[in-house]
Amino acid sequence: MGPPNPRRPVEDDIREVLGDKDLRGDLLIEALSTLGSRHSVEPFRAALGCSVPLDRPEPEARDTVAAIERHRGAIEALLGRDPGFTVAALDLLHEMDRTLRDPVFREEGPPAESPGNGGPGAPGLLEEVLHLETHRAERSGRPLAVAILSREDSGGRVARDTGAGIAVLRDSARDIDVIAEDPAGDIVILLPCTGGREGLRAADRFRRSLLAATGGDYRAGVAAASGRAAHGHALLRLARQALQEARRTGSGTALHRPERRSHERILVGLGLSARLRCGEFELEVGVEDLSLGGALLATPRRVDPGCEVVLALRGSGARPAGFLIPSRVLRVLDGPAPGQAPWRAAVGFGKEARLRVAALLSGLGQPGTGEAP
């Protein structure tokens, strides 16, 4: 058994004072001051240390304890019962630190101009939460996703109605998500502890909520990373690139994916014809780009990721060369609307197929011979 903790009597007395339901407001402040004189300690700093993980200088600690007591009274009026000092402290500090969308014990959020709820008029909110969530991801090693949603009118022009959009999304977001407006006027959503695929699904859910509520046509771009790579400003920039990709392809959502090719990407355009054999069916597909490691295809039918397929490619020219390339479907993205063609499928080639692909790439646009698929 170790030596007794000399702080134990002080902490016990503080907990006894904080737990006394008759000591409220000024009476609690007076009781803590008396306790500090008796034990020769800084009572308000010690009271915070016993309740929440917060250490502040004694004058600031006294003001914080007084603020917690006022907040405790507001919660009691709302709930009809005393929540206690510790619960009131946690709720107030969440609100002060802006780590939650709304205070825990509020049925309605603060006014729209308050920066704590992600309102469109919140000055500096986006900059602040990007900084906070970046450091949180670095400390925890958890992922962070950033989604950008932008509305377009029927003519393809960007429409600005972020105030209404943010109000709609509050009911679709989690308490830890942060919804704000970026300088370009688009809706930005920070999704802590969320990876890329989960962020893409969340962005699609947000799009459906906005469509149902406003009838507007929204595009969404998502970027995600984990730990030290989860830099908020970098993710915001990458999410904007993904948004541009969604606009370019006409798809509803797009996820930024880092370039993993070790070989140059070649845009093949109309210089190549292709068919995809998957199980019992065969599809005529478009080849958007091609490298030694894989290809990006536009397909009229969805193929499942993980499927083993055969890509039949034929070059151009009077006597075009043809090649059969065993492939594996790596990922599939929806087309302009979820569940509707065309889909975009990324397929990967095995090492044994690279010589064939190299021969095809070297002969694109030139006459040649080869094995016909």
Side-chain angles (χ1 to χ4, degrees), residues 26-46:
D26 292 339
L27 292 178
L28 177 63
I29 300 297
E30 182 179 350
L32 287 174
S33 299
T34 302
L35 185 148
S37 300
R38 185 168 69 247
H39 290 284
S40 299
V41 297
E42 296 179 322
F44 298 100
R45 187 175 183 180

Side-chain angles (χ1 to χ4, degrees), residues 25-296:
D26 292 339
L27 292 178
L28 177 63
I29 300 297
E30 182 179 350
L32 287 174
S33 299
T34 302
L35 185 148
S37 300
R38 185 168 69 247
H39 290 284
S40 299
V41 297
E42 296 179 322
F44 298 100
R45 187 175 183 180
L48 289 179
C50 290
S51 306
V52 291
L54 184 66
D55 185 20
R56 291 184 172 176
E58 182 66 6
E60 294 182 19
R62 181 188 178 99
D63 293 340
T64 301
V65 169
I68 292 172
E69 269 299 290
R70 292 191 297 269
H71 191 63
R72 180 180 177 183
I75 296 176
E76 183 176 16
L78 180 65
L79 297 180
R81 58 184 177 83
D82 179 16
F85 182 86
T86 300
V87 172
L90 290 171
D91 185 54
L92 178 64
L93 293 176
H94 274 298
E95 183 177 356
M96 291 170 61
D97 292 341
R98 299 170 186 170
T99 56
L100 291 181
R101 176 177 59 114
D102 293 322
V104 175
F105 295 103
R106 303 283 181 84
E107 293 181 356
E108 297 181 357
E113 65 273 13
S114 169
N117 69 341
L125 170 65
L126 182 58
E127 190 71 22
E128 180 179 348
V129 294
L130 284 172
H131 176 77
L132 290 175
E133 294 302 338
T134 294
H135 286 286
R136 190 191 309 276
E138 289 178 350
R139 290 194 306 269
S140 65
R142 294 181 177 274
L144 171 65
V146 175
I148 298 181
L149 288 91
S150 180
R151 180 175 180 176
E152 298 177 355
D153 62 19
S154 57
R157 296 180 298 272
V158 177
R160 302 301 184 200
D161 61 346
T162 50
I166 288 175
V168 169
L169 292 180
R170 288 199 188 104
D171 292 333
S172 303
R174 303 170 299 176
D175 284 342
I176 62 173
D177 298 336
V178 179
I179 306 171
E181 178 183 354
D182 76 346
D186 295 324
I187 299 174
V188 177
I189 306 176
L190 269 69
L191 303 160
C193 302
T194 303
R197 294 182 179 179
E198 294 83 0
L200 194 63
R201 287 196 292 267
D204 193 56
R205 184 179 74 250
F206 294 142
R207 287 184 60 244
R208 292 196 301 268
S209 297
L210 290 168
L211 177 63
T214 67
D217 184 17
Y218 281 82
R219 298 284 186 267
V222 181
S226 299
R228 294 186 177 276
H231 192 282
H233 289 89
L235 291 177
L236 184 63
R237 184 179 67 254
L238 297 177
R240 185 162 297 284
Q241 293 178 12
L243 175 62
Q244 296 302 324
E245 176 71 7
R247 286 176 176 153
R248 185 184 67 81
T249 61
S251 60
T253 58
L255 173 65
H256 177 271
R257 299 182 186 275
E259 182 61 64
R260 293 179 295 178
R261 299 169 184 250
S262 57
H263 309 284
E264 182 180 0
R265 179 191 298 263
I266 297 178
L267 302 178
V268 297
L270 300 177
L272 195 66
S273 62
R275 298 185 69 84
L276 190 68
R277 299 176 183 175
C278 183
E280 298 180 354
F281 62 86
E282 184 172 323
L283 304 171
E284 186 172 350
V285 298
V287 181
E288 296 190 4
D289 62 72
L290 181 68
S291 76
L292 290 182
L296 183 63

Side-chain angles (χ1 to χ4, degrees), residues 258-269 272 286-297 311 313 323-328 330-331 345-362 364:
E259 182 61 64
R260 293 179 295 178
R261 299 169 184 250
S262 57
H263 309 284
E264 182 180 0
R265 179 191 298 263
I266 297 178
L267 302 178
V268 297
L272 195 66
V287 181
E288 296 190 4
D289 62 72
L290 181 68
S291 76
L292 290 182
L296 183 63
L297 310 175
L311 181 61
L313 298 174
F323 300 86
L324 294 176
I325 305 176
S327 311
R328 182 181 180 85
L330 302 179
R331 60 181 182 274
V347 298
F349 305 147
K351 291 183 179 181
E352 66 281 358
R354 291 188 175 180
L355 286 178
R356 303 186 203 177
V357 181
L360 174 63
L361 293 176
S362 65
L364 276 180

